[in-house]
Amino acid sequence: MGGKGDKHSQGMTGGNKTLTTSPDTAQARTILRGKDGERTKQINLNAPINYLDSKPIRVPNKILEGHVPSANPSNQPHTQQATGMVTATKEKGDGRVLPRELLDNGQGKCDETKATADGDGETDTMVESNIHVEKQHPAQKGGGLLDPPIITTTGEIATGATTKLLRKQNKLVRNETLREQPIKGQWTQHEGKESLEPTHWEQRTKTAEDKEMAPQGLAQKHEAADLLADWEKFGCPTQTGRNWTLDEIQAAIDRGPHKSALEPDAIKHFAEEVANKVANGQARVVLWDDIKHNHPSQLKVSPVAAIPHKSRAYRSILDLSFSLRLEDGGVIESVNNTTQKLAPRGAIDQLGHSLKRIIHAFAETDDDAVILMAKWDIQDGFWRLNCRAGEEWNFCYVWPQAPGEPRRLVVPTSLQMGWVESPPYFCAASETARDVAVEYIETKIGSLPHHKFEHWAGAANINVNSAQKADALRYILEVYVDDFISCIIPTSKEQVEHVARGIMHGIHDVFPPNEDATKDPISDKKLRKGDGTFETTKCLLGFDFDGVNKTIWLEEAKRAALLTILHQWIRGATRARRGIPFAEFESVTAKLRHAFIALREGRGLLSPCNWVIQRRPKVVYLHRNGALLEAMRDIRTILRTSTAHPTECKDLVAAWPDYIGIVDASSHGVGGVVLGERSGLPPTVFRLQWPREISNALVSFDNPKGSLTNSDLEMAGMLLLWLCLEGVAPNLAHKHVALLSDNSPSVSWATKMASKKSRVAAQLVRALALRLNITRSCPITPIHIPGIENALTDIPSRSFGSVPEWHCKSHTDLLTLFNSKFPLPHQASWTVFQFDSGVITRVISALQMKGITLGEWQRLPTIGRHIGQIGPTMSDLWDWTLTYRGCSTRPKCVSSQGSPLESDKDSSAGESASRLGQSLALSRPLDRRSRWPVVPTQQK
């Protein structure tokens, strides 16, 4: 039951903080560091020790199976106690259990509940600690990454219930960091300047037989060493709110396991798993009747589920997000909701950037370079970190058994998959192992000793010496929870061997080795399958990468599974009119969203799915939702054809534009210009007058019930701008494009490739996404500009008579007016582009919500043609466009190069370049810190 999960968490203290407890605290506290920098302890020896507040001593006829370590009253850990946690009540329907299904990976969501009052303490013997937590903004420079996350608006430690608020807060911090971080490559060039002490290897004596997470070697010198040592000795602190009453515990036990765990095969699976965990000292089993009237104070019971798994029959997941409704209408909040986030906030703040960094690394690699990849998995990941004494009772579950068996509770002593704090606690250890591995890699090539698993590593059937041109080794090392991933560009097999040794020694510095290879933290099973062998093709984080062609595509098994599910859905909707359980629908949508990481703008097809998820119906019926059914067909087609053309990683990375497009729409029409920047094309202007039925459908004061908004027209303009670019540019494959508009909603829709509310915009986004996929272009960079800076498109979008001085009866009139208002450098002339009627019909049909099939958007007729003589091909026109930013073509604006607005040119240029630069910065991954708990002292 160990694996990956959600994020956000915290540790104990940072800097020179001193944590103490009040005299009546039942658990003593260790002080991390005093002012002199030395580690000291403060222990309360007078506090009474209660059986219910610690790991229980073995009691005859009570503990059935499993090792029970005794508590040591004179040697206590650091603790942080959550206070004020409550059970919420909610009037809703009949029955005791909230109506919900377990979602993918056990991370299901339940109805939100509101706290009403503190518990009455009927059985609450939990000890509270008077700990002062310093209020500190998560973005504070210079430290704090070992501290718990703080909600800045309240100054309180975050809880599971405030996760949504914490995510918003972290997003702001992350975006600030992205804007500030310097642009640099993802690859590290090996220098070999690290050295080890002569007795270094002799001092590494810890083994997994003693502790399964125990820092040694270089890990003892890491910034997180004290924290990990504390967890090694005492376990990870767990604060899950107030204690439950006997009636609440009984209700949870009566509810029992999730229905998936009660299938015959699942019952057999749990019998084997529980026996194995008990034998390994990772769990114990108790009879509920034996402890019912003297149960541990922190006892909480959550339903366990059996989830089908690709490498074994089932994966067991404890559904700690489950809230329970009582017969009297009260609701017991889930363990996750009431959990206080005490794990270090810096451990997982970059968790979602590992895949992005790998993609960027591939994108920036020379075409003739060969990338080799290998990976290592930590087996039984979360199970290698223990809970603190007495706190394991927060994670109990009813053992799934055949009917008629006495009720038994399984008491895991380790962190559980499904608990909101398990990922950050584990990542603090795995990120430390990654930092240590980098230190080992940075020693001199060939200086590291033999590793017992290195016969599984190496470069498979590759002539490394002839593969590369450079002399120095280049590498990246990522860790995603329990997966260590290495990509290297080596010049010798010795370098390959050196990297493999460094990574495995680094892992064993945090997760000690086991003499039994099958029980070693480094999965021997995965190594035997070839995961640790450096190869040019490898599946990383669910995607297949090719280190020769620098391509990425969805893992074949995942793609096949999605295609099968979609086929069943579509067939069920069209023939049997069957519905889809919402939990299944939400899970598959999440998988599709993940798949579209490698399929360019496939996410533009998901808007109908997003609308369904917003409503959260119990059952989803495709045959009742035409847009959703059509989206499923489109998605299946895109997935089915994706393997024919794997995506080049460079096509997934935004960069300074090759081409620039600027557009504006009004109630009369739409107009825009396309220009060359890094690549050349003839500067082109286009316009299109809306048909009367479109203008009449626009919402206005006179027509409040219209079916179209101005933003819908602006989004149509964005689509036409792209189509104009297709008709003008020689080839958009692998090209970067910036699309500028003064309409915020349309820029947002194009950026997210989704519309939350507008069905019309969703149709247009879908069309844009399909065209982006067909042209195989890089991600577009939509940018919002103020209306005052959109002067270049004022004339073409309003050249149909609404402004008399701009009225152009013909394309020749438009060309003459445009050349006079916006003269190009070197006396070059603009070119006018006219759309083909078939293309116009498709765009108008999308505005009118008439169905346009995927095939119709993929197989467009001739997009259009130039009118008159084609102007010269030009590039580097971004700076030129800034000449006319702010020079609105409103009547009093002077458009010449020597205009009165010249004094504002530098300011406008700087702001525009900054907007483009910030947009590109936000598309990049966060750079890795030199060490995960260390904040860079300077960011520019």
Side-chain angles (χ1 to χ4, degrees), residues 463-485:
N463 187 350
V464 177
N465 290 300
S466 62
Q468 318 298 343
K469 293 181 179 180
D471 293 329
L473 164 71
R474 286 182 288 164
Y475 67 93
I476 59 174
L477 178 58
E478 286 294 335
V479 59
Y480 183 84
V481 190
D482 57 358
D483 290 332
F484 287 76
I485 301 166

Side-chain angles (χ1 to χ4, degrees), residues 98 100-103 106-111 302-303 318-324 332-337 418-420:
L98 284 178
R100 61 177 300 283
E101 293 295 332
L102 189 74
L103 304 186
Q107 301 302 313
K109 293 179 173 61
C110 60
D111 294 339
S302 301
L318 189 58
D319 189 8
L320 294 161
S321 63
F322 186 86
S323 295
L324 185 69
I332 309 174
E333 281 199 272
S334 68
V335 171
N336 274 347
N337 253 17
W419 186 40
V420 68

